[in-house]
Amino acid sequence: MSLSGSREKETKFLPFLRRYLSRKKIVMLILVSFALMAFLSNFFTTNREDASESIIFDNFNEAYNTSLQFSRKFGTQKDDNYSSIQTTTALSVCEEIPHIHHFSSPLSTESTIFHSNFCQNFAFPPPPPGGRRRPGPRPCPVCYLPVEEAIASMPRVPSPSPVLNHLTYFHEESSTKKTEPHEGSDFGGYPSLKQRNESFNIKESMTVHCGFVKGCRPGYKTGFDIDISDLVELEQYHDIIVASAIFGNYDVIQQPTKISEHAINNIPFYMFIDEETENYMRNQSILDYKMKVGLWRIIVIHNIPYTDSRRNGKIPKLLLHRLFPNVRYSIWIDGKLQLVVDPYKLLERFLWRENATFAISKHYRRFDVFEEAEANKAAGKYDNKSIDYQVDFYRNEGLTPYSEAKLPIISDVPEGCVIIREHIPITNLFTCLWFNEVDRFTSRDQLSFAAVRDKIMGQVDWSVNMFMDCERRNFVIQAYHRDLLEHMPPPTLRRNRYSIPVSVSVRGNPVAKSSNLGKKSPVKRGKGERRSMSRRHSKNLGNRDNTVF
């Protein structure tokens, strides 16, 4: 009965619609109703996503918002990058540089997981063997996704940070003093051995030494000083940055190649230099008032804290998260390297595809820290006593030579000229503690890498993606340091003795001869002329450098 009643209602209702609405109006009504339903569904979905993102980013913004309210009420300021409240004098100075804490919305409202079969059948080949002309390590093929697919695979939200959710840093207005007989610096704050050991005890909220101990913020009166206009630039939000450094005019700036238009427009390239390098670049007309050299945006550092240029270079290398507080991903390359693969492809290949937050290549030859230390001593990379002291310190702490028992860890020695990372609390802690070892012991960061990594991995579920060195050589080309380039002899022109044009004279007339020396001359001569010609020939061949080509 109910079915028959509903059919009667439909039959009565349809003629009514046909009478007052034309066929076009009915179609438009249906389309409008579908559009309204789609709008409402997207609206509620967006609200749910915004709510989830606010929870995820709460760890980043909670401390800053609380401290900002505190500063407005009491006239003092506390940034989430510091663990102590600043004075009103420091606040008035630092107000020249506005704090920007901003996180962009997701790139897409589609699924957060991107799958591609582009590299599914790619088999990783062994690195090609060396030859007579190139006996050293060689690059090997790497399968990268196309740029569009790599961009689509970028995670929409930050990766979870195991255990550690909130990280702040020690800050002291007055100068710090050495409390123990060890190396260190005012820039690093001379953490005591007790403070060092406590920094490896991973908790949900931590405060550690991480450079920039003085001043109201990193880069301002901290011993690694940056112009205010540049500090404002470094505070901007970016999904990805590429960074490098040249100190002591040690390297020649290398321009990236094969960079996509999307990366050029959305990924900034920053090059940190000191005043010595700046003066050289200006004298050579490499640097102008725009502070740009190709893709690189030049950031000049004043009052560098160390006399060793290599140690100064470790500051931006390991502490990028302090210089760029609002960046999600960073790619660090040493100043001697030329990037030849798009940054989106690198991040997809070595982070996103592997579900990793930190990637670095392993050394192409050595896997053991103790062997690396001996190699550094043999090459004169640092004072031998300092190297022995550092290695003995780690041995007493429990560091053992590398063996298969450490698997799945494949190496204890990185090739640290490239670092690909996501800026989340656990990776920030890792690079902070790694820098503290470089500040405390030698500047050879390959010696301290495994000690810090193993201590963190022993407490939390976190690991480092150590990829093959031949893969690294696929996306960067290594150039020579400037001092080697300047002392290299100029390239000589290779000559083939069978095709060298030789200036000869036939009966007093100069003739350029470039044919085979064994050929007979088409000009008929007597015996005496042939002998004189052969003498002149041997004379010219013995004096090839004076021959004009």
Side-chain angles (χ1 to χ4, degrees):
M1 290 292 293
S2 61
L3 288 173
S4 61
S6 62
R7 287 174 184 172
E8 289 177 1
K9 290 179 181 179
E10 288 178 1
T11 55
K12 293 179 181 180
F13 185 68
L14 288 175
F16 176 79
L17 283 177
R18 290 173 184 170
R19 186 183 303 174
Y20 291 98
L21 295 176
S22 64
R23 192 172 294 176
K24 291 183 180 179
K25 291 181 179 179
I26 292 174
V27 173
M28 289 298 297
L29 182 63
I30 295 172
L31 291 176
V32 169
S33 62
F34 275 120
L36 182 61
M37 292 171 62
F39 172 77
L40 292 175
S41 63
N42 287 334
F43 176 77
F44 290 115
T45 304
T46 304
N47 283 346
R48 270 190 248 109
E49 290 174 353
D50 291 342
S52 63
E53 286 169 15
S54 65
I55 295 173
I56 291 170
F57 291 129
D58 186 55
N59 292 328
F60 293 94
N61 295 325
E62 181 179 359
Y64 175 73
N65 293 332
T66 304
S67 61
L68 189 60
Q69 294 174 3
F70 184 87
S71 64
R72 288 173 179 172
K73 184 175 181 180
F74 298 99
T76 57
Q77 177 184 11
K78 179 185 176 186
D79 185 26
D80 69 335
N81 286 335
Y82 302 99
S83 61
S84 61
I85 298 174
Q86 309 301 313
T87 62
T88 54
T89 305
L91 173 64
S92 61
V93 173
C94 282
E95 280 182 342
E96 301 176 27
I97 318 162
H99 286 273
I100 303 171
H101 288 259
H102 169 259
F103 296 92
S104 70
S105 59
L107 296 177
S108 172
T109 58
E110 298 177 359
S111 175
T112 58
I113 300 176
F114 178 84
H115 297 284
S116 176
N117 297 325
F118 188 84
C119 296
Q120 185 176 7
N121 298 323
F122 177 79
F124 183 79
R132 291 183 179 180
R133 295 183 178 178
R134 191 172 182 179
R138 305 285 298 278
C140 54
V142 179
C143 183
Y144 304 105
L145 290 186
V147 174
E148 295 78 10
E149 294 187 18
I151 295 172
S153 65
M154 179 187 294
R156 296 173 52 203
V157 294
S159 301
S161 178
V163 181
L164 177 63
N165 290 321
H166 186 61
L167 183 64
T168 55
Y169 311 102
F170 278 108
H171 166 67
E172 299 176 4
E173 286 291 342
S174 58
S175 299
T176 55
K177 297 181 180 180
K178 277 188 177 184
T179 59
E180 298 172 355
H182 60 72
E183 295 296 328
S185 66
D186 289 337
F187 178 80
Y190 297 111
S192 65
L193 187 60
K194 180 181 178 182
Q195 289 174 322
R196 173 190 178 272
N197 295 335
E198 289 177 349
S199 65
F200 289 106
N201 183 20
I202 309 233
K203 297 174 291 188
E204 184 177 357
S205 180
M206 296 180 63
T207 300
V208 298
H209 285 83
C210 195
F212 302 103
V213 172
K214 297 180 181 179
C216 55
R217 65 195 309 169
Y220 191 85
K221 295 183 179 181
T222 56
F224 192 85
D225 297 339
I226 301 173
D227 295 335
I228 292 179
S229 59
D230 290 331
L231 283 176
V232 174
E233 168 72 19
L234 302 188
E235 289 274 350
Q236 302 298 318
Y237 174 82
H238 297 288
D239 282 318
I240 304 166
I241 63 164
V242 179
S244 185
I246 298 176
F247 290 99
N249 197 27
Y250 197 62
D251 293 300
V252 179
I253 191 168
Q254 306 291 325
Q255 284 302 322
T257 61
K258 302 178 183 178
I259 309 300
S260 65
E261 193 68 26
H262 192 277
I264 292 175
N265 295 331
N266 294 278
I267 299 178
F269 291 70
Y270 294 102
M271 175 68 70
F272 295 91
I273 65 173
D274 57 358
E275 293 176 345
E276 178 184 352
T277 309
E278 179 195 15
N279 294 333
Y280 175 85
M281 294 174 69
R282 291 194 184 278
N283 292 335
Q284 298 295 321
S285 299
I286 300 173
L287 184 64
D288 57 11
Y289 70 95
K290 295 180 181 178
M291 302 302 288
K292 290 270 292 186
V293 178
L295 288 179
W296 294 107
R297 167 78 154 82
I298 305 299
I299 306 293
V300 181
I301 305 300
H302 311 281
N303 304 320
I304 51 179
Y306 303 109
T307 57
D308 182 8
S309 297
R310 287 186 176 91
R311 197 185 292 268
N312 286 318
K314 299 298 187 294
I315 297 174
K317 176 179 180 178
L318 301 179
L319 304 183
L320 275 180
H321 63 283
R322 301 222 59 194
L323 294 168
F324 297 92
N326 300 305
V327 164
R328 288 189 65 191
Y329 301 95
S330 67
I331 299 174
W332 168 268
I333 61 173
D334 281 359
K336 64 183 177 182
L337 301 180
Q338 179 188 23
L339 184 64
V340 294
V341 172
D342 191 85
Y344 287 109
K345 294 183 178 181
L346 295 183
L347 285 162
E348 189 282 326
R349 171 62 188 85
F350 298 107
L351 285 192
W352 305 334
R353 194 187 305 178
E354 304 294 334
N355 291 324
T357 58
F358 195 97
I360 191 171
S361 65
K362 66 177 185 177
H363 199 276
Y364 67 95
R365 180 180 299 169
R366 291 181 289 275
F367 309 95
D368 183 73
V369 173
F370 303 97
E371 292 180 4
E372 177 67 18
E374 293 301 320
N376 276 256
K377 290 163 61 177
K381 296 290 184 68
Y382 208 85
D383 176 63
N384 288 0
K385 291 184 179 179
S386 300
I387 293 177
D388 289 336
Y389 174 75
Q390 182 176 5
V391 173
D392 291 340
F393 186 92
Y394 293 150
R395 183 185 286 109
N396 294 332
E397 280 195 327
L399 182 65
T400 58
Y402 179 80
S403 64
E404 293 183 356
K406 290 191 174 184
L407 291 174
I409 295 174
I410 60 174
S411 177
D412 283 346
V413 181
E415 185 63 56
C417 53
V418 173
I419 296 176
I420 307 172
R421 57 180 288 206
E422 181 180 1
H423 292 203
I424 59 175
I426 192 66
T427 60
N428 296 343
L429 174 68
F430 172 68
T431 53
C432 283
L433 303 185
W434 191 8
F435 173 81
N436 292 344
E437 299 297 292
V438 172
D439 184 60
R440 185 183 191 94
F441 298 107
T442 69
S443 62
R444 307 304 300 172
D445 53 14
Q446 292 166 311
L447 300 179
S448 52
F449 169 82
V452 179
R453 179 203 60 190
D454 292 351
K455 287 179 180 293
I456 294 179
M457 289 179 59
Q459 295 193 47
V460 299
D461 183 17
W462 177 79
S463 61
V464 174
N465 176 23
M466 295 192 75
F467 52 92
M468 302 290 290
D469 184 66
C470 66
E471 294 179 281
R472 176 189 66 85
R473 294 175 185 271
N474 178 279
F475 62 82
V476 289
I477 298 176
Q478 186 165 319
Y480 291 102
H481 294 300
R482 183 183 297 280
D483 56 348
L484 294 177
L485 289 172
E486 291 177 348
H487 290 87
M488 281 184 177
T492 57
L493 183 65
R494 296 182 61 189
R495 303 179 179 89
N496 189 338
R497 65 188 182 94
Y498 295 107
S499 61
I500 296 176
V502 182
S503 177
V504 297
S505 62
V506 180
R507 295 180 181 178
N509 297 323
V511 177
K513 181 180 179 182
S514 60
S515 59
N516 193 311
L517 294 180
K519 277 189 175 183
K520 293 183 179 180
S521 172
V523 183
K524 293 183 180 180
R525 302 179 183 88
K527 293 182 180 179
E529 288 178 346
R530 289 198 188 103
R531 289 173 185 168
S532 62
M533 274 297 301
S534 63
R535 293 193 197 101
R536 277 192 287 267
H537 239 98
S538 61
K539 184 177 180 181
N540 286 332
L541 287 173
N543 195 20
R544 288 180 181 176
D545 293 338
N546 296 328
T547 306
V548 178
F549 298 95

